[in-house]
Amino acid sequence: MDSIIGVKYNGGVIIAADSNNARSILVYQHNLDKIAQIAPNAILGLSGPNADLVSFSEYISKNLKLYSLSNPGQDLSTKATASFCRNTLAVALRKGPYQVQTLLGGWDASPASEDGEGSMYFLDYMGSLQKVNYGIQGYASNFALSVLDREWKEGLTKEEAIKIVDNCINVLDTRFLISQPTFTIKSASK
Amino acid sequence: MSILEYNGAAIIAMAGKDCVGIAADTRLGVQAQTVACDFKKVFKMGDKLFVGLAGLASDVQTLDQLLTFRKNLYELKEEREMKPKVFSAMLSSILYEKRFGPYFAEPVVAGLDDDGKPFLSAMDLIGAPVYTDDFVVSGTCTGNLYGMCETLYKPNLEEGVTSRELKGRQD
């Protein structure tokens, strides 16, 4: 039911997530934050049962914090962070899976650009990891992926990316059965 | 819904005159929906050794990591390169180890052994191997791939022709 939308732009990434907290036919709250900041330069949008949203994102962010304390000055790239998340999910898959579909977005400094570059990773609950330019988790993908297919291009500005996310949310408003009145939106950039 | 068909794949490897070729599609899907068009399914394990992995994407990636690890460990201990048939046997063993909770991946191994002779093998998800000297296929459209191979394959094709034939099957 959760909608997680992620878009990469020139110099960063944006992740938008609906803020509904619902089970079956009941909505508990309209202000649940499903985007965790797991590292100073990385955000993780999560879709799934409440327990797994929290336990997975906290496990990852606390382990990343431990790494940064044990290895001072050695920042983890977004790629390494994504790899760590993938490994956690893949190992848990055959023990007690985290039922979270995620989109990981991060910012890294880059020699090629003074604004650095964003990277976005599609990471499903079984541990399939793929670097993408944009991605959507949840039923929303059936509606909004075509919007992104049409409108995304290389070298977007942050404003253009936000506009595209807006268009995605509008199509959900129009066509998606579930009402999602509020969205949370976060970005990772310089 | 079959776990082996969840993400989708088409892998093919073929032997020619003193050469092997391996090709795979690059689609990552979630059943009918396409998530990405640049997903890697063929992995270079050595100068003359490739493995193509079809099946559940997560297990494809896990196996790639496991195989790289095990091959590197072997080469550190043995102080020599791992031959394709040894690699294939190791992969078969790794898969059978998980007999009652398998990796959902059906691999294809393609390489050249020491005297430059082509090596091909394919396995099912629990490691049952098949060794051939012509072609091997794996994935969600093996019927189509087998049909094309049987029709177009000829032994001892030159390198350029072999890769053209492979490409023909991917299209």
Side-chain angles (χ1 to χ4, degrees):
Chain A
M1 303 301 175
D2 308 327
S3 309
I4 317 287
I5 303 169
V7 179
K8 184 182 89 167
Y9 62 91
N10 197 18
V13 292
I14 301 183
I15 297 186
D18 79 292
S19 312
N20 270 1
N21 187 10
R23 206 177 282 177
S24 177
I25 57 169
L26 179 63
V27 180
Y28 295 109
Q29 65 186 122
H30 291 298
N31 60 353
L32 176 65
D33 187 358
K34 300 177 198 171
I35 307 175
Q37 187 180 357
I38 52 170
N41 63 332
I43 47 176
L44 185 67
L46 309 117
S47 152
N50 285 43
D52 291 335
L53 294 194
V54 170
S55 81
F56 181 70
S57 62
E58 283 191 357
Y59 179 84
I60 297 293
S61 56
K62 300 317 169 193
N63 267 283
L64 293 179
K65 181 72 188 169
L66 179 61
Y67 180 90
S68 69
L69 290 169
S70 315
N71 303 277
Q74 274 176 287
D75 297 325
L76 275 179
S77 65
T78 310
K79 185 175 179 187
T81 306
S83 219
F84 174 63
C85 292
R86 184 205 107 73
N87 199 56
T88 309
L89 290 166
V91 166
L93 178 63
R94 287 169 157 90
K95 294 183 181 173
Y98 291 106
Q99 289 168 29
V100 285
Q101 304 279 59
T102 67
L103 278 176
L104 179 102
W107 178 90
D108 299 291
S110 157
S113 149
E114 68 163 57
D115 280 335
E117 60 179 359
S119 42
M120 170 139 291
Y121 291 87
F122 175 94
L123 184 56
D124 86 352
Y125 78 101
M126 293 183 280
S128 335
L129 176 69
Q130 178 66 9
K131 188 167 192 291
V132 291
N133 291 320
Y134 52 84
I136 310 191
Q137 295 283 17
Y139 285 119
S141 59
N142 297 71
F143 302 96
L145 218 40
S146 32
V147 173
L148 288 171
D149 283 337
R150 170 73 75 94
E151 298 187 12
W152 190 90
K153 56 183 203 289
E154 196 64 59
L156 289 168
T157 64
K158 190 175 188 177
E159 291 68 34
E160 286 172 332
I162 293 176
K163 182 77 185 59
I164 293 177
V165 169
D166 220 14
N167 291 345
C168 292
I169 295 174
N170 285 339
V171 89
L172 290 176
D173 260 344
T174 318
R175 294 295 184 185
F176 189 28
L177 181 68
I178 313 276
S179 159
Q180 294 175 137
T182 38
F183 271 77
T184 314
I185 182 163
K186 296 191 185 177
S187 83
S189 62
K190 194 168 180 185
Chain B
M1 193 210 77
S2 163
I3 304 179
L4 281 173
E5 293 162 13
Y6 187 74
N7 295 121
I11 320 259
I12 177 173
M14 186 179 273
K17 189 169 169 54
D18 302 323
C19 66
V20 284
I22 185 166
D25 75 307
T26 53
R27 176 183 174 270
L28 176 67
V30 172
Q31 298 191 285
Q33 191 180 80
T34 301
V35 169
C37 301
D38 52 359
F39 186 74
K40 212 165 141 200
K41 300 176 200 184
V42 174
F43 304 96
K44 183 174 175 180
M45 290 288 143
D47 267 339
K48 300 188 180 178
L49 180 58
F50 288 86
V51 66
L53 291 154
L56 192 65
S58 172
D59 286 347
V60 164
Q61 293 181 315
T62 300
L63 273 175
D64 165 41
Q65 293 177 315
L66 250 176
L67 288 170
T68 311
F69 167 68
R70 290 286 299 265
K71 180 177 184 283
N72 286 344
L73 197 56
Y74 175 98
E75 292 183 347
L76 282 169
K77 289 187 188 174
E78 300 267 324
E79 292 181 46
R80 61 191 174 99
E81 253 196 62
M82 199 174 203
K83 294 189 183 141
K85 73 171 184 188
V86 176
F87 180 85
S88 179
M90 177 183 78
L91 174 49
S92 173
S93 178
I94 288 174
L95 291 171
Y96 195 78
E97 235 181 327
K98 302 279 184 199
R99 172 62 179 81
F100 300 108
Y103 290 114
F104 294 100
E106 295 189 317
V108 141
V109 178
L112 293 176
D113 68 21
D114 283 340
D115 18 318
K117 190 162 163 287
F119 175 87
L120 288 174
S121 79
M123 271 155 255
D124 68 4
L125 76 171
I126 48 173
V130 130
Y131 304 102
T132 62
D133 54 7
D134 44 20
F135 51 82
V136 282
V137 300
S138 185
T140 48
C141 57
T142 48
N144 308 62
L145 293 172
Y146 274 127
M148 291 302 290
C149 287
E150 287 290 358
T151 321
L152 295 174
Y153 175 80
K154 282 199 295 275
N156 282 314
L157 289 169
E158 292 294 333
E159 196 182 310
V161 182
T162 310
S163 59
R164 255 205 343 259
E165 296 290 275
L166 274 174
K167 189 166 178 297
R169 285 146 193 68
Q170 290 300 309
D171 298 338

